Amino acid sequence: MIITYKAHKSFEIENGKVNVIATSSPIAYCNLIEGMQEKNELLCAVSEDYDAIPLSKAVDWLGDPLISESLLQKYMTKLTSYVVDELSADGRNRIITFYRDLLNAVQDELLMEDLPLEISFDTDLKKLFKFGGLHFNKTLTHDPYGIIETVLRIHDRLDLKSTVVFSNVAHYLDVEQFNEISKLCLELKKSIIFIEFCSHKDQVVYGDAKFSYIDEDLVDWY
């Protein structure tokens, strides 16, 4: 995939790799952050064959991994379907049996009341998982590295084609963690983009990531 930023060289986003788009220009940084959210028309995406791709489909914008609230909640509907579809036959039957026993117990208690109340049995396991409040472990919300890793694994499990985009990641990760993310991208054959406000000399922090840099004078260094 190629992302173009008006008046600048294109960013060639490599699959299976960490792609850092960095700048020390407040103007460029704001343009990039807003552009990724389609709040301006300065960014656009094309395939390797130069076919236009709506930016909202090309990238999965997540922003700052620690500040963005309910960041992982956006995936829960698809994840619930995935979990249900991946259940083994034995696992599915066991859950339905326990669920039926639970509802039968509730129905028995309702018979004690002097009211014509009944329970409806529904084998839609997606509703059952929703009823159970399926969610990610709350400790994950305080772990930027864990959030990034989890999002990449979600994209892998759900076979999502968009490229994950985070910002301000260097505030939270060390060199070893960046290297681990690089290994994971290579393993999963997934690309990721980090939008960073930093100096050109900070490139070393990102290990072997592909580093594109726009300086404070809006000059490209990539």
Side-chain angles (χ1 to χ4, degrees), residues 146-181:
I147 290 171
I148 295 168
E149 178 186 5
T150 299
V151 169
L152 283 171
R153 293 194 182 280
I154 288 172
H155 269 244
D156 179 55
R157 296 291 191 279
L158 300 182
D159 195 26
L160 301 179
K161 305 302 183 184
S162 55
T163 297
V164 177
V165 184
F166 283 98
S167 62
N168 302 327
V169 173
H171 292 173
Y172 310 115
L173 304 187
D174 56 32
V175 175
E176 182 178 349
Q177 289 174 318
F178 274 115
N179 288 335
E180 289 300 316
I181 291 173

Side-chain angles (χ1 to χ4, degrees), residues 12 21 26 30 32 38 59-60 64 93 95 121 138 156 160 174 176 186 209 213 219:
E12 294 185 11
I21 301 176
C30 288
L32 291 167
E38 295 189 311
V59 303
D60 181 10
D64 188 301
N93 291 334
I95 291 172
F121 180 69
K138 291 184 179 180
D156 179 55
L160 301 179
D174 56 32
E176 182 178 349
L186 183 61
Y213 182 74
V219 176

Side-chain angles (χ1 to χ4, degrees), residues 84 87-101 121 123 125 128:
V84 171
L87 284 173
S88 65
D90 287 343
R92 185 183 301 272
N93 291 334
R94 190 162 62 93
I95 291 172
I96 290 175
T97 297
F98 281 126
Y99 184 39
R100 182 183 289 111
D101 290 343
F121 180 69
T123 58
L125 294 185
L128 180 58

